[in-house]
Structures are given as C-alpha cells and as structure tokens.
Amino acid sequence: MTNKNYSVLMSVYQKETPEYFITSIESMINQTLPPNEIVIVKDGELTEELDEVINRYQTSYPNLFTVVPLQHNVGLGKALNYGLENCKNELVARMDTDDISVRDRCELQINKFVKNDNLSIVGSFIDEFYDDPENILSSRVVPITHQDILKFSRRRNPFNHPTVMYKKSAVLRCGGYGDYRRNQDFDLFVRMLNSGFIAENVDKALVLFRANQNNSERRKSWVKCKSNIKLMHTFWKKGYSSLIDLLIVSVSQLVVYISPLWFFNWLSNTFLRKTPNNQES
C-alpha cells in the first residue's frame, strides 16, 4: 500500500460538549500526517453551538469536511455506517468527539498499513484523563499481535474503539456496525476477526480518552452488564467463544454489577488498567 490518504470518521449528537468537540477536531487537523477528509455524521438535531462549530470548520476548510445530516438520532453504530458509506478513502480513522489524538497517531497507523498490506485493523492503547490531558490517570492496554488479539477477543474487546483505523472495504464486507446501542464495535471486530481479517495494535497510547465518574457508573450498570452477557452469549452460539469463556465473562459481569463502586474502581485499576504507579518502567 503506497496511498497514504485517509478519512476521519466522527459522529456527533446533541449532548456533546462544543469545547471538547473543537479540541477533538483540532487534534485530527494537526496530525503530522493530516487527513484529506473528515466525515462528520450529525446524529439527529444538534444544538446551535454544535452546529456553529461544524459550520465554522466547513467555512475554514471547504474541501476537507463532509457533513452527513441524519433527521433522527439513530445511535452510534448506525450513524457510523452512514458516515462510512460517505468516506472516499479506503483507510478510515475513527475518532470520538470528546477525545484527543496525539499528533503522530495517524502517521504511525498508516505506517503499519504501508508495511503490511494484509492488515485490516490497527488500534492502540489509550491514556485516560479527567479534566487535564497532561494528568494521565490510567491506561487501557490491549494486545499487540494478531494472535494475541484473537485470544483476547474470546472474552474482551481487543481494541479501544476511538483509536482504530480500518479498511472501509473490510468493514463493509462484514456488514458494518450491528444494530446495537452498546458494544457495536466489539461485535464488528469479532465478526471481522472471525472472517479472517488481520489486525494489530500499536504498543503505545495514541488517543487521550476523556473519562469521568460517570464512565465507571455506566460500566457497572445493569444495562451494560446485561449487554455484555448477551453479546458473549451470541459469540458462544456462533462458536467463536467457548462455554468457559461465556461463564467466566457472565460471572465477572455479575460481580462488577453487584460490587460497590469503590471496589469496582479498585478492581479496574488493579487488573484491567495500568495506572501511573503500576506501569512498567
């Protein structure tokens, strides 16, 4: 692969914060290897402030932005499918509207595709912060090699969704994002892996993820717990995950749900994430 052009795919809805949205867009515009297209899906009617942000960037960069307006809010998965259809490049970088990409994120990912044309997905670690991106609280580390990604995916999502760059054709061949309100990305990635598509992760954090107390509460909610178990049950029925995988994930999710928030945070920071104090030197 010699073509280094790529599209950025974002979806925004009315509850987003305009200031965070601007920071996210700026982090993509200022990449060391800039995109030649940024596709923004308006997932339903937006606030005046969010519309103003989009209009301002369209005026300042008339040939860079493609805006896809949806009449009603359809959820992230469906919105991304609409956006993906409008991306003109084969390589597409996902980006959330409240996160920040490091400056060389896309260059590092493009280099992976250039070196190995068999790749269809390239993700990375994420660093999590609350208010100050200079103050990293924890990192979500994911497996690097394709084989480790396959093994990891039997029970957990082997990618941080806001970090991935993928081939449009591969995503479309697998049917795009499913009609889920949650876990759309995990479902898609498992279908891609199960179809034989090759993946890797960059072994560093390429995206700064904006977290808060609500993130922990959502991760241990009954809705999230039920959604995770249901998805794992689907993987088991399709033969992707084993019965042991299903049982382990189901029990783990129930423990997360019934545990107090302080215990869940300790569990997450100790076993699921790396903090500045427990990262390897």
Side-chain angles (χ1 to χ4, degrees):
M1 174 179 287
T2 57
N3 188 347
K4 294 188 176 183
N5 289 333
Y6 68 95
S7 303
V8 175
L9 176 59
M10 309 175 74
S11 175
V12 60
Y13 81 121
Q14 63 179 356
K15 293 186 179 181
E16 307 282 3
T17 304
E19 292 78 13
Y20 298 165
F21 189 25
I22 291 171
T23 302
S24 178
I25 293 174
E26 288 292 325
S27 76
M28 298 310 294
I29 290 176
N30 294 308
Q31 287 289 299
T32 55
L33 180 62
N36 69 337
E37 179 186 48
I38 297 179
V39 176
I40 297 178
V41 182
K42 295 168 61 172
D43 189 8
E45 184 177 349
L46 304 182
T47 62
E48 290 184 8
E49 292 81 4
L50 288 169
D51 273 326
E52 171 58 30
V53 170
I54 294 173
N55 293 338
R56 188 162 71 243
Y57 277 105
Q58 281 188 292
T59 300
S60 300
Y61 302 89
N63 298 318
L64 180 61
F65 285 85
T66 298
V67 178
V68 182
L70 302 181
Q71 187 173 1
H72 304 290
N73 178 267
V74 297
L76 181 61
K78 283 188 175 181
L80 292 178
N81 284 338
Y82 284 115
L84 193 61
E85 292 172 0
N86 285 271
C87 290
K88 66 183 181 183
N89 295 304
E90 167 70 340
L91 290 180
V92 178
R94 270 286 293 118
M95 185 61 189
D96 280 348
T97 53
D98 54 356
D99 297 333
I100 304 169
S101 286
V102 302
R103 290 199 70 240
D104 60 350
R105 169 200 164 177
C106 293
E107 182 175 8
L108 291 173
Q109 291 179 302
I110 290 287
N111 288 341
K112 286 275 191 182
F113 284 103
V114 170
K115 291 177 182 177
N116 184 359
D117 193 47
N118 292 321
L119 287 173
S120 291
I121 316 172
V122 175
S124 77
F125 305 166
I126 56 173
D127 281 345
E128 299 175 322
F129 71 98
Y130 278 177
D131 299 315
D132 181 5
E134 298 293 329
N135 182 21
I136 301 303
L137 302 175
S138 62
S139 302
R140 182 172 188 258
V141 176
V142 285
I144 305 303
T145 67
H146 179 70
Q147 288 304 317
D148 287 342
I149 286 170
L150 280 177
K151 182 179 179 181
F152 195 89
S153 67
R154 309 296 181 191
R155 298 178 186 175
R156 293 179 59 201
N157 194 336
F159 301 100
N160 293 305
H161 190 203
T163 74
V164 297
M165 180 181 285
Y166 44 47
K167 289 181 177 177
K168 174 181 175 178
S169 61
V171 175
L172 294 180
R173 200 176 307 170
C174 291
Y177 291 89
D179 189 15
Y180 294 93
R181 280 286 174 171
R182 291 172 175 81
N183 293 321
Q184 316 95 334
D185 55 321
F186 192 9
D187 168 70
L188 170 62
F189 298 146
V190 162
R191 282 187 279 116
M192 293 179 70
L193 293 170
N194 203 27
S195 297
F197 290 105
I198 308 301
E200 288 184 7
N201 279 307
V202 178
D203 59 348
K204 63 182 293 188
L206 300 183
V207 171
L208 307 180
F209 179 84
R210 194 181 299 273
N212 54 47
Q213 187 69 16
N214 292 333
N215 291 103
S216 296
E217 294 174 356
R218 283 196 298 269
R219 286 205 298 266
K220 73 177 300 297
S221 69
W222 173 243
V223 173
K224 181 69 172 175
C225 172
K226 183 170 64 173
S227 175
N228 288 340
I229 294 174
K230 182 179 179 181
L231 187 63
M232 284 301 305
H233 185 261
T234 300
F235 294 166
W236 170 68
K237 285 175 61 179
K238 292 180 177 179
Y240 187 79
S241 298
S242 69
L243 181 59
I244 294 297
D245 294 327
L246 172 61
L247 292 174
I248 289 175
V249 170
S250 298
V251 171
S252 300
Q253 288 298 316
L254 290 171
V255 168
V256 165
Y257 172 65
I258 65 176
S259 65
L261 186 59
W262 68 264
F263 180 77
F264 169 71
N265 286 332
W266 173 83
L267 192 69
S268 177
N269 291 333
T270 303
F271 298 104
L272 304 181
R273 279 160 171 74
K274 286 188 175 182
T275 64
N277 290 329
N278 68 17
Q279 287 189 20
E280 297 177 359
S281 58

